Amino acid sequence: MARGRQPTARGRAEVEMVRAAAVMAASPHVVHWGWFRIELANLLIILAMVVVFVIALVVPFGRSAWARDDSGDRL
């Protein structure tokens, strides 16, 4: 790169991709539990998916579509 020139958006993106690749190439954090072994990032993703699933089961559906009066007819 010439002196005094600012890198282009593509050049900055390439630099960031190289930095990200270097970070991902580092040794991952691994959780050991007996015979069970999983990378921390994968464990966090799985836990987040389980939390979203449980929230989807617990949060009630909107009442406006399913609201009924005493006669059983939809409102």
Side-chain angles (χ1 to χ4, degrees), residues 7-62:
T8 63
R10 181 177 177 178
R12 285 190 299 267
E14 289 174 355
V15 168
E16 291 303 318
M17 288 175 60
V18 169
R19 286 182 184 161
V23 168
M24 289 189 301
S27 61
H29 297 283
V30 180
V31 176
H32 297 273
W33 189 22
W35 57 269
F36 186 74
R37 178 180 166 163
I38 189 168
E39 290 183 15
L40 183 60
N42 291 339
L43 180 63
L44 292 176
I45 290 171
I46 291 169
L47 290 176
M49 290 187 324
V50 169
V51 167
V52 169
F53 179 74
V54 169
I55 289 172
L57 290 176
V58 173
V59 173
F61 293 104

